[in-house]
Amino acid sequence: MTSPVEAAPISAARKWAITLSVMVVAFMQVLDTSVTNVVLPHLQGSLSAGLEEVSWVITSYLAANAIIIPATGWLAGLLGRKRFFLVCCVLFTVSSVLSGMAPNLTFLILARIAQGIGGGPIIPLSQAILWEIFPLGQRGLAMAVWGVGFMMGPIIGPTLGGYIADNWSWRWIFYINLPVGLLGFFMASACLFDPPYLRKPARVDWPGLALMIVGFGSLQLMLDRGEREDWFDSRLIVTLAFLAGVALVGFLIRELMADHPIMDLRVFTDRNFAFGASFIALIGLGMFSSMVLLALYSQKLLGYDAYTSGLVLAPGGLGNMFSLILCGRLVTRVDQRLLLTFGCLVNAISLYMMSNLTLGMDYWTLTLPRVIQGFALGFIFVPLSTLTLATIRKDKLVNATSAYNVLRNLGGSVGIALATTFLAQRSQFHQHNLVAHVTVWDPETQRRLGEWTRHFLAQAPDPFTAQRQATAMLYHDVVGQAQVLAYADDFWILAILFSLVPLFLPLMRRVHADPAAPKADDDRDGERVSPLPAPVE
């Protein structure tokens, strides 16, 4: 006999109310992830700490995120999905307020750990909820609307953080989460419900839980601290790498053998999901590293402050909002692999444009590639999530979105670590080559030295001091040019990466929105994810 839970459909109004609810909470979480980066100098002065010490404010949050996200599906089953979502919202909001009230650095780091634990599961839970309540023909648009909030966080975060820190106090970047968190909590309380198929795990996989915490925590710490600690020349990094390797291998073995795993790895037996999760790791690598590189370039070489640097990234949101809505309508009508190919190639073009940076470029020349990149990202995330998740059974969706986000975040962390390390190495390489060609017998070198010498002679009558200052400025120019070439190398590699991704997309199967059509080419019948019924009131 059909139960009331299975019979009553969810109204369109309730579906979009749920979408708005999870979007508000997800936006708060993503915004706070990016906003903290620009206030580290303010934290140094306020808390009387060095740069290495305050960097743990970011590291602690990322490590907590890395630990909790793999357990999202298991915790949703243990606590109930609605209750777990509300617990995460409350924990994130309360720890945000505590972060703003922090009297010292130790208290702030502990509050940030709690904030990372509360914020980590929000994104995978949001994706799973939306994917379940909408039929396949509407999921693209729903994910696009939600994606507007998700993508706007890292875009406006640096700008908002810089403005607040410069004009008010760094504490207000945490306090602003309070009204947003309260709004999201009450909206989610009224709209969310637990699906009828949700099952509480019979027992806790304590060995798997311990291996997960040690493995993912050590890996995130290694990636975040590697560049600062000079990688494997540091005993700390070697120790973290060893712990991460041993624990993660043990975690994989344990999860494959356990009857009630923390993360069900059998989801990777789905062909589309396995390839889609691999692609999101590569795309996360390219996306996050390119944003970090552009922010570093604008601040370190062009001399922009944090607020202006954020304004370089912000216009990308305009292109992204347009493409998300457009792609949301196209994703069930056009082969998703073609849309994804288009997005990757346009993103490669924007990265190629970034490889032509110069020290004399103006704001709009720097911003144009970001607008193009923002437009491309909409054609990447909507079709990729559709291809990846459409073939997953609905009772496995929270687990699948958790694994999907683990790989996205891991790709981003690896990308940032590789990009900054490669940037330092290529800067040294180009500096060595440029210095070798700067000699006193070179006419161009003599001309530049003469210009600088005359400039400093006009300010001080001492010829010796003026000549020394001119030599120092010439060396400064060489170092700056070497760094420009290094940034160009990084962007070139990222452009090549996005150019290669489309070559492997035929390995995934197209998803059909028509219920009469097969779910994916050559797939078995009966695996389509149907929309959830309405809850029992």
Side-chain angles (χ1 to χ4, degrees), residues 96-138:
S96 296
V97 175
L98 293 176
S99 296
M101 297 169 59
N104 53 56
L105 184 61
T106 302
F107 188 96
L108 177 58
I109 291 173
L110 292 175
R112 288 284 286 172
I113 292 173
Q115 198 178 28
I117 293 173
I122 289 174
I123 301 303
L125 283 174
S126 300
Q127 287 179 308
I129 289 168
L130 295 183
W131 206 257
E132 291 170 343
I133 64 174
F134 284 94
L136 185 56
Q138 298 176 2

Side-chain angles (χ1 to χ4, degrees), residues 32 93 96-102 169-180:
D32 204 76
T93 304
S96 296
V97 175
L98 293 176
S99 296
M101 297 169 59
S169 166
W170 63 266
R171 299 182 184 276
W172 281 98
I173 70 169
F174 298 112
Y175 290 149
I176 58 174
N177 289 332
L178 180 59
V180 180

Side-chain angles (χ1 to χ4, degrees), residues 38 155-164 166-167 291 294-300 302-316 361-364 366-367 370:
V38 300
I155 290 171
I156 70 173
T159 306
L160 180 64
Y163 179 83
I164 290 174
D166 290 341
N167 293 277
M291 292 179 66
L294 199 60
L296 289 174
Y297 186 88
S298 61
Q299 293 185 55
K300 291 192 173 183
L302 299 184
Y304 291 3
D305 56 23
Y307 175 73
T308 309
S309 178
L311 290 178
V312 173
L313 300 177
M361 69 192 312
D362 59 23
Y363 169 81
W364 292 109
L366 185 63
T367 302
R370 267 296 301 162

Side-chain angles (χ1 to χ4, degrees), residues 46 134 162 194 206 230-231 284 287 290-291 368 404 507:
S46 177
F134 284 94
D194 284 333
W206 292 110
D230 201 19
W231 289 105
M287 183 189 73
S290 65
M291 292 179 66
L368 178 60
Y404 187 75
L507 296 172

